[in-house]
Every structure is written in structure tokens, then in C-alpha cells.
Amino acid sequence: MSENVYVGVDLGGTAIKVGICNEQGTLLHTYEGPTEVSKGVDTVISNIEKYIRHIVEESPYSWEQLAGVGAGVAGFTNVREGIIVLAPNVGFKDVPIRSILEDRLGKLVKIDNDANVAALGEAWAGSGNGVENCVCYTLGTGVGGGIIIGGKIYQGFSGMAGEIGHTNVVPDLEAIQCGCGKMGCLETVSSATGIIRMANDAVERGDHTSLQSVDTIMAKDVFDAAKAGDEVALRIVHRAAYYLGKSLASVAAVLNPEMFIIGGGVSKAGDILFDEVRSVFASLTPEPLQKGVTIVPATLGNDAGIVGAAGLLIRS
Amino acid sequence: MSENVYVGVDLGGTAIKVGICNEQGTLLHTYEGPTEVSKGVDTVISNIEKYIRHIVEESPYSWEQLAGVGAGVAGFTNVREGIIVLAPNVGFKDVPIRSILEDRLGKLVKIDNDANVAALGEAWAGSGNGVENCVCYTLGTGVGGGIIIGGKIYQGFSGMAGEIGHTNVVPDLEAIQCGCGKMGCLETVSSATGIIRMANDAVERGDHTSLQSVDTIMAKDVFDAAKAGDEVALRIVHRAAYYLGKSLASVAAVLNPEMFIIGGGVSKAGDILFDEVRSVFASLTPEPLQKGVTIVPATLGNDAGIVGAAGLLIRS
């Protein structure tokens, strides 16, 4: 075997996940070990190196076949310089991770933030396989985004493109403050956090809902209640879906992507979410901008981060 | 002189404007003749050819120095195939203008729609000179847009990118129907048409405003009244500016451009519009996405279309 392979690293607060991909983006092997944030930056970096060397040794591929390493992390990254500017989960601040890993491994290294690598993973080897231009939404604790143009991550002027969780979609009079400090961001209503907040508000004000009997409400509880016909839960799901659909409509008018890929925990709600999103999108988007455009669930799940990180070497 | 020059064509319903640009986008000479739409497609095309040959003959440049011709037109264009799909102003439907002109002139020809070429003109040789990533709004009868990425027009999946006049910004309960058939588009409030409509509504319902004494209200009348302190006119201008600023904020979160360029007749309102747009943008855009981003008026005026069309040869 002489084909090139690529290692992707998903650097999380609890675990470091690594995986080997071939040039088509197929995930061939994975491995996972503890991050050990409490032991400090040096230990975390040594762990990254250790897990990368380990997975290649255990695989049928030689070290020479490893063409490079990509890494994704939640936080602010300076892609051009290869620096993790701020990643609170792993305790990194201004860490020049690219040059450190390149020195230690003798391989090319690239980095990006978690939302961008997840988008690239889906675009490369997930739902977007073969699609040149797509936009990915990751609905988790927040709403992350990634813009893929010409098969590559689009960074924008200062590396901040794809912050679609902070598109302003909620009308002023209904808006609440987002973690970013502004009012009315998509993230305040269509993230898991937003859905849980709306559910807790309903419970606290005494709305008649089956959620009253749930101890600690999770987004899944709200979706389950909605599927069972609970009107309060249905209203919450529709609100989350409405603003998501509205955001998609505006992004379609700006970027005209071929595909919208929706991933993250909230996307597991399935049809009850997607049906409404597609309906709102259809009602707000001019016909010519809808033509041929699809809205699909992400397919790689938690692997999107590893696959997309490996893809940084080829697709950035 | 052996430098290459480029001819740009602004194909309008009344006049065909042509201009010669150098490789830096400097507009060296212009010429303008009647379109003669009533005489049919063949006459219009012959006129285009005639005016192009005329301007080169009258200029200090030789026909050999002409490296190519670009043309912009209001309507739907198939950029890849070089076809004007539908341009009602000039009576064109499915006209393969590129191949026709290439045959007649023996030169490379490229086409695009008027909003895209105006954006390219400003990005190349106007306000955006030297800026790689910018977004242009043209506030005229409608609201046109153009996305410049890496110095070139971004077309999107089906050539529809940059339709920012149809981003959904007006909340449902305040929305009216746009020409595109959808409710709440930016174009319904921030175009000259939208401003005039709001002013006529105010006059018809008997609002106390100096606009009551204007025979046929134009956008400029509304701005003049606002500048003179007319409260009704001020409310209209603020509404147009508010939704424009809101649209800019959402586009910034998606694309992170370095610059927003605002052109078209409405932009001539000046500070009364720009101050409010900048203020709304600042209030709705997360801090990191504002950093280094500027909002500026277009500088080329009506020449943007000619310059941008000439630029198609180099910048697309």
C-alpha cells in the first residue's frame, strides 16, 4: 500500500479523538484517549502526539504514508498562523500548536475551529459528498456554522466567516441577549440551550405541559413531548425550527449554496424539526433561490470533527 | 503603448454605455448611444458592436490592444454559458450574447448581471480598491447585491448568490409582499421604491408631514424632508436604514467581509442614512465580527457598471 493517509484530531476537553482517513475521506481507524487538561498544556500536547503515533503504529499504514495531521478545537483559532488563540475547554491560550506539532511529528499540520472542521467533514465525506458549495449548521450547546465554497472552508476577512449562530433573526421585541452580548441571535432559540431555556421558562410560569414532570429538562425531552402531541413542547420546537428556517432563507439569498447540512444534537429530533425548517425555508425564499437546493441532516455524527480535521490537509 | 485594455458595456433599456479600462480598472474613455430596443434584438446587438468599435477607434488604443469585452445587463444571466436568459428592459430572452459578440468582434467576451458587475467595479477600482472580500448593496428601484470573494464575483450554486435584496429582515407582522412573491424582503423597505411607498402611505393616511405638499414623491424628497427635521420622513429613513443595518449584521456573521459598499440612488442620502446603518450594525453584530469592518459609500456612481463589466475579463 502506498496511498497517502491523513490523521484528524478532535481536541476536546475530556478526550482527544484521533482517526486515520484516506484521500477520499473514508475514516479507516479511530482511537481515543484522555486529554488531561488539569496537567497543563505540555501534557495535552504530548498526549496529542502520543495518540497520533499510537494510531498509526496500530494501523496497517506506515509513518511514511502519513501525509499530514489536521486538528479541530472549540474556540478561536488563527488558521493562517496555526495558533489556538483561546480554547477554554482545553486550557489553551495563544498556543502555536501547528509549529509545535510539526516539529515533534515531522509532518504538515493544519488547524481550524470545531464548527469549520465539522462542516468540512460533512462536505467531504458526509451528506455533502461531491457538493462544492454548502453551508453547515451544528445545533449543539450553541449554533456553530461552516461555509464550504469550492470544496474548501471559507474563512472570510478575519477568519470569522460562518458564525451563523449569530445571525440576527429574532425580532427586537421578542429578542433575548445571546452569549455574544447581542440581542436576537439564532443561537438564543435554535440551540439545545435555547430549547431548554424555553422549556424551563414554560415550566416555571406554570404552563400545562408534560415537561412539568421532568427533573432536568434536556432538548430531547422537549422533542419527545412534542412528538407525543404536547402543545407547549410543540410551540417550542416550532419556534426553534422557524428561526432556523428563516436563517437558512437569508443565507440562501446571500450565498446560494447547493445544500444546507444540519447536524449536532438538536438535529437528531428528525422530521419534527426538518419538516418545519423546510416549510419555513420554502415560504421565505424566492423560488429561483430554492431550485435544486436541499436541506439534509448531517450523517457523520461525532466523527465529523475527526474526518474534517483530516480533510484540512487536502481541503484548505 | 502596448498595454492591454478592456471594454465594458452597460446594456440598458434606453442607452448602451461603453468604456475602456486599463488593467488597473481606470476608466479611460466612455461613449454612449441609444439601445433601440424597439428595433429588435439584432439591432441592439449590432449597436453594441458598433459602439465598441467606435470607442476603440476614437481612443489612442489599437484594436489589437483590446484584450476583451465584458457586458452587464439588468436581468437573469447564465454566466457560464454566456447567455442572457431574461432581460425585459432590452427585450432579450435566451440570447447567447457571448458567442454572438465573440464571433463578430474576434475578442473574448464575458457577461454578468448589473448588480454583480457594479459590485465588481467598486471592488476593483472604486471604494473597495485593494479589498479582497466585500459585499456591495445597490439601493435603487430594487436592492441589488454582489459578493466579492478573493477579488472576484462569487456566483454560488446556480449563479444566484448576492440576492441580498431578498434576505428576510422584516418581522412577519410588519411584512409586506416583495416583487419576488415573498414577504419581508429587505427590498420592500430599503429600496427607493420602498421609501416612496412608505412616504405615499403616510401622505394618504393624513400624517402631518411636509411631504403632503410634494406632487410626486421621490426618495430624495423623503431624505430632504428628514434632514429638515420632518418627523414622519425621519421615521421612514430610520426604518429603511434599520433593516439595511440588520441585513449587514447578518451578512457579516455569515461571510465576514472586510467592507460593505453601499451604492445606488438611495445611498446619496449620505450621513442621515449611513450614520443609522452603522449604528444598527454596531448594535447587532458581535464585537469580533465588527473588528476592522467598514461600511462605505460607493464612489464610481453610474460608471460602476462599465468598469465592472470591463473587469469581468480579469476578475472572473
Side-chain angles (χ1 to χ4, degrees), chain A residues 216-282:
Chain A
T216 305
I217 299 174
M218 307 293 281
K220 188 177 182 307
D221 299 318
V222 182
F223 288 114
D224 287 346
K227 284 172 195 168
D230 185 290
E231 281 193 29
V232 171
L234 270 169
R235 187 191 58 79
I236 294 169
V237 173
H238 281 171
R239 192 159 190 255
Y242 175 81
Y243 288 114
L244 182 57
K246 185 168 166 163
S247 168
L248 262 63
S250 278
V251 172
V254 176
L255 274 179
N256 182 216
E258 182 171 355
M259 184 182 277
F260 288 97
I261 302 174
I262 317 289
V266 171
S267 72
K268 298 211 173 72
D271 289 347
I272 200 170
L273 180 79
F274 279 85
D275 288 352
E276 180 76 4
V277 169
R278 291 192 183 105
S279 155
V280 172
F281 180 77

Side-chain angles (χ1 to χ4, degrees), chain A residues 76 133 147-150 154-164 166-172 180 182-183 185 242 246 249-259 281-293, chain B residues 76 133 147-150 154-164 166-172 180 182-183 185 242 246 249-259 281-293:
Chain A
F76 290 99
N133 300 326
I147 313 280
I148 305 295
I149 290 181
Y154 178 66
Q155 299 288 350
F157 159 55
S158 53
M160 302 287 295
E163 287 289 343
I164 38 188
H166 303 289
T167 47
N168 184 272
V169 291
V170 184
D172 289 5
C180 77
K182 300 301 177 182
M183 310 288 285
C185 295
Y242 175 81
K246 185 168 166 163
S250 278
V251 172
V254 176
L255 274 179
N256 182 216
E258 182 171 355
M259 184 182 277
F281 180 77
S283 78
L284 297 179
T285 309
E287 298 293 339
L289 283 159
Q290 290 186 40
K291 214 172 152 187
V293 178
Chain B
F76 290 100
N133 300 325
I147 313 279
I148 305 295
I149 290 182
Y154 178 65
Q155 297 287 350
F157 159 57
S158 52
M160 302 286 295
E163 287 290 345
I164 39 189
H166 302 289
T167 47
N168 184 271
V169 291
V170 185
D172 288 6
C180 77
K182 301 301 177 181
M183 309 289 284
C185 294
Y242 174 81
K246 186 169 166 162
S250 279
V251 171
V254 175
L255 274 179
N256 183 215
E258 182 171 355
M259 184 182 276
F281 180 76
S283 78
L284 297 178
T285 309
E287 297 294 340
L289 284 160
Q290 289 187 40
K291 216 174 151 185
V293 178

Side-chain angles (χ1 to χ4, degrees), chain B residues 269-292:
Chain B
D271 289 346
I272 200 171
L273 180 81
F274 279 85
D275 288 352
E276 180 78 3
V277 169
R278 291 192 183 106
S279 155
V280 172
F281 180 76
S283 78
L284 297 178
T285 309
E287 297 294 340
L289 284 160
Q290 289 187 40
K291 216 174 151 185

Side-chain angles (χ1 to χ4, degrees), chain B residues 19 41 73 135 145 149 152 183 205 239 244-245 259 262 273:
Chain B
V41 171
V73 64
V135 175
I149 290 182
K152 298 179 173 181
M183 309 289 284
R205 71 179 166 250
R239 190 159 191 254
L244 181 57
M259 184 182 276
I262 318 288
L273 180 81

Side-chain angles (χ1 to χ4, degrees), chain B residues 104-315:
Chain B
R104 294 198 184 196
L105 299 168
K107 299 288 181 184
L108 282 175
V109 174
K110 292 202 175 189
I111 64 158
D112 211 322
N113 69 59
D114 55 346
N116 277 349
V117 298
L120 181 59
E122 288 292 339
W124 187 29
S127 305
N129 195 323
V131 169
E132 283 290 292
N133 300 325
C134 64
V135 175
C136 303
Y137 288 70
T138 304
L139 312 176
T141 310
V143 172
I147 313 279
I148 305 295
I149 290 182
K152 298 179 173 181
I153 297 168
Y154 178 65
Q155 297 287 350
F157 159 57
S158 52
M160 302 286 295
E163 287 290 345
I164 39 189
H166 302 289
T167 47
N168 184 271
V169 291
V170 185
D172 288 6
L173 295 177
E174 332 295 332
I176 65 161
Q177 196 170 39
C178 179
C180 77
K182 301 301 177 181
M183 309 289 284
C185 294
L186 176 65
E187 185 163 298
T188 62
V189 280
S190 302
S191 61
T193 313
I195 288 165
I196 292 166
R197 177 188 56 76
M198 290 188 279
N200 283 331
D201 285 353
V203 167
E204 277 166 32
R205 71 179 166 250
D207 281 12
H208 184 70
T209 165
S210 63
L211 294 167
Q212 292 287 4
S213 62
V214 180
D215 255 0
T216 304
I217 299 174
M218 306 294 280
K220 188 177 181 308
D221 299 319
V222 182
F223 288 114
D224 287 346
K227 284 171 196 169
D230 185 291
E231 281 193 29
V232 170
L234 270 169
R235 188 191 58 79
I236 293 169
V237 173
H238 281 172
R239 190 159 191 254
Y242 174 81
Y243 288 115
L244 181 57
K246 186 169 166 162
S247 168
L248 263 61
S250 279
V251 171
V254 175
L255 274 179
N256 183 215
E258 182 171 355
M259 184 182 276
F260 288 96
I261 302 173
I262 318 288
V266 171
S267 72
K268 297 209 174 73
D271 289 346
I272 200 171
L273 180 81
F274 279 85
D275 288 352
E276 180 78 3
V277 169
R278 291 192 183 106
S279 155
V280 172
F281 180 76
S283 78
L284 297 178
T285 309
E287 297 294 340
L289 284 160
Q290 289 187 40
K291 216 174 151 185
V293 178
T294 52
I295 300 169
V296 302
T299 53
L300 296 180
N302 289 333
D303 290 337
I306 302 176
V307 174
L312 287 174
L313 276 298
I314 304 180
R315 298 285 203 102

Side-chain angles (χ1 to χ4, degrees), chain A residues 13-92:
Chain A
T14 310
I16 297 168
K17 298 175 195 165
V18 294
I20 298 183
C21 287
N22 63 16
E23 295 196 356
Q24 287 72 49
T26 309
L27 185 58
L28 306 165
H29 301 271
T30 60
Y31 177 74
E32 173 172 343
T35 311
E36 301 186 301
V37 171
S38 61
K39 294 188 181 169
V41 171
D42 289 344
T43 301
V44 173
I45 292 174
S46 292
N47 283 341
I48 297 172
E49 180 188 359
K50 194 164 68 182
Y51 304 154
I52 292 170
R53 292 195 181 273
H54 178 80
I55 195 177
V56 176
E57 272 162 29
E58 298 283 295
S59 81
Y61 307 97
S62 69
W63 187 252
E64 286 64 42
Q65 284 178 274
L66 178 61
V69 171
V73 64
F76 290 99
T77 54
N78 180 330
V79 170
R80 218 167 292 164
E81 311 279 333
I83 295 166
I84 296 179
V85 178
L86 189 65
N89 294 347
V90 290
F92 278 27

Side-chain angles (χ1 to χ4, degrees), chain A residues 119-134:
Chain A
L120 181 59
E122 289 292 339
W124 187 28
S127 304
N129 195 325
V131 170
E132 283 290 292
N133 300 326
C134 63

